[in-house]
């Protein structure tokens, strides 16, 4: 009788702490945040096309521009406990909308500077895919799907720049002929160095820049934005 009782207790305990394997088998893409009752949809532009989340047994990572990692995970079938968060040094966002969303995601939802945070999670069917919902202790929510949301790309031109590295003139090429492009050049610290318009021309004078890494912000007449990185020799 005691053996049977121990067996039942063991199985109930094992079920209560079982992990959903789908949590680890998918890359999750952020669809929206709800923070303090307000809904926030992720930005989609040339700098941030999507925001992925990958969860492993002991660590998770998610990326807007900087990489946020959670360490020493304890995962049951309903909760994920993160003992410690770390932001890995990488290239910071240039666009302010991306910086704002990264701050909302990392600070507002994950509260990454705090330790020992617990998030409830639910995995559900979503059309032909799956959804993952994380809920913080204060009720804020992050909604993910295991498929990227379809983004209409037919109206968004694709740009390339050359030569890269560049000495004096940077040339811009595009899949669709477009006039009236707004061009901004930022340094690695995000400081705006140049703001100009291109009308029926493809050459950008960068001869006055010092050697280093820069970001070229290209905005077309429809408001679509693309970020290109280039190196000035």
């Amino acid at each position: 009788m005691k053996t049977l009782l121990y067996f039942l207790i063991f199985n109930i305990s094992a079920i209560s702490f079982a992990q959903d394997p789908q949590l680890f088998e998918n890359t999750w893409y952020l669809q929206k945040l709800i923070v303090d009752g307000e809904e926030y949809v992720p930005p989609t532009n040339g700098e941030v096309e999507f925001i992925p989340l990958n969860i492993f047994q002991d660590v998770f990572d998610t990326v807007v521009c900087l990489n946020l990692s959670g360490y020493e995970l304890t995962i049951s079938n309903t909760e994920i406990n993160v003992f410690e968060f770390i932001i890995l040094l990488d290239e910071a966002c240039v666009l302010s909308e991306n910086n704002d969303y990264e701050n909302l995601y990392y600070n507002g939802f994950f509260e990454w500077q705090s330790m020992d945070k617990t998030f409830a999670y639910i995995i559900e069917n979503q059309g032909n895919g799956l959804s993952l919902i994380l809920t913080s202790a204060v009720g804020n929510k992050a909604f993910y799907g295991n498929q990227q949301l379809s983004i209409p790309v037919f109206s968004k031109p694709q740009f390339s720049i050359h030569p890269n590295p560049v000495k004096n003139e940077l040339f811009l090429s595009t899949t669709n002929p477009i006039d009236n492009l707004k061009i901004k050049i930022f340094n690695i610290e995000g400081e705006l160095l140049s703001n100009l318009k291109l009308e029926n021309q493809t050459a950008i004078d960068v001869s006055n820049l010092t050697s280093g890494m820069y970001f070229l912000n290209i905005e077309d007449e429809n408001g679509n934005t693309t970020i290109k990185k280039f190196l000035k020799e």
Side-chain angles (χ1 to χ4, degrees):
M1 185 68 180
K2 287 185 178 179
T3 302
L4 178 60
L5 181 60
Y6 291 149
F7 178 78
L8 291 173
I9 292 173
F10 174 80
N11 279 276
I12 293 171
S13 177
I15 292 171
S16 65
F17 287 95
Q19 301 165 341
D20 190 330
Q22 296 177 116
L23 195 64
F24 314 105
E25 294 169 352
N26 294 276
T27 294
W28 303 98
Y29 300 95
L30 185 64
Q31 296 176 343
K32 65 179 179 180
L33 294 172
I34 296 180
V35 177
D36 296 333
E38 295 290 329
E39 182 175 312
Y40 302 89
V41 177
T44 301
N45 48 57
E47 188 177 44
V48 175
E49 296 183 8
F50 52 84
I51 299 174
L53 168 70
N54 287 288
I55 301 175
F56 307 97
Q57 290 287 346
D58 298 318
V59 65
F60 82 78
D61 64 83
T62 188
V63 180
V64 180
C65 293
L66 300 177
N67 182 296
L68 175 68
S69 293
Y71 288 90
E72 298 185 41
L73 306 187
T74 302
I75 302 175
S76 71
N77 64 331
T78 59
E79 293 183 338
I80 302 173
N81 178 267
V82 186
F83 179 73
E84 182 180 16
F85 296 96
I86 296 176
I87 289 184
L88 303 179
L89 294 178
D90 205 334
E91 294 175 355
C93 297
V94 172
L95 297 179
S96 59
E97 63 175 317
N98 296 337
N99 273 310
D100 292 342
Y101 203 88
E102 185 175 75
N103 180 63
L104 178 73
Y105 186 37
Y106 291 178
N107 291 306
F109 178 71
F110 282 114
E111 299 181 26
W112 76 274
Q113 298 182 66
S114 301
M115 300 179 68
D116 197 19
K117 306 290 293 186
T118 297
F119 301 87
Y121 77 89
I122 300 174
I123 297 177
E124 300 176 332
N125 291 324
Q126 183 182 57
N128 295 324
L130 296 170
S131 69
L132 168 68
I133 305 172
L134 297 182
T135 304
S136 72
V138 296
N140 294 327
K141 295 180 181 291
F143 294 79
Y144 304 84
N146 68 336
Q147 298 176 352
Q148 295 181 37
L149 296 178
S150 58
I151 301 169
V153 297
F154 55 85
S155 62
K156 183 177 179 179
Q158 302 298 312
F159 294 97
S160 61
I161 55 175
H162 63 278
N164 193 7
V166 59
K167 289 185 178 180
N168 296 310
E169 280 192 321
L170 190 64
F171 292 91
L172 183 65
S173 300
T174 177
T175 53
N176 303 323
I178 289 181
D179 298 328
N180 303 321
L181 294 176
K182 297 179 181 179
I183 302 295
K184 296 178 182 179
I185 297 176
F186 296 87
N187 61 17
I188 197 70
E189 286 80 27
E191 180 184 1
L192 178 62
L193 304 179
S194 180
N195 192 351
L196 56 101
K197 289 185 178 181
L198 290 187
E199 297 180 3
N200 301 316
Q201 66 187 85
T202 59
I204 304 169
D205 183 7
V206 295
S207 58
N208 63 326
L209 298 178
T210 58
S211 298
M213 187 70 70
Y214 295 90
F215 296 95
L216 188 72
N217 185 99
I218 309 162
E219 182 181 342
D220 68 18
E221 55 194 2
N222 295 317
N224 297 313
T225 301
T226 300
I227 304 290
K228 292 292 181 180
K229 183 167 56 177
F230 69 91
L231 182 65
K232 172 64 166 61
E233 292 184 332

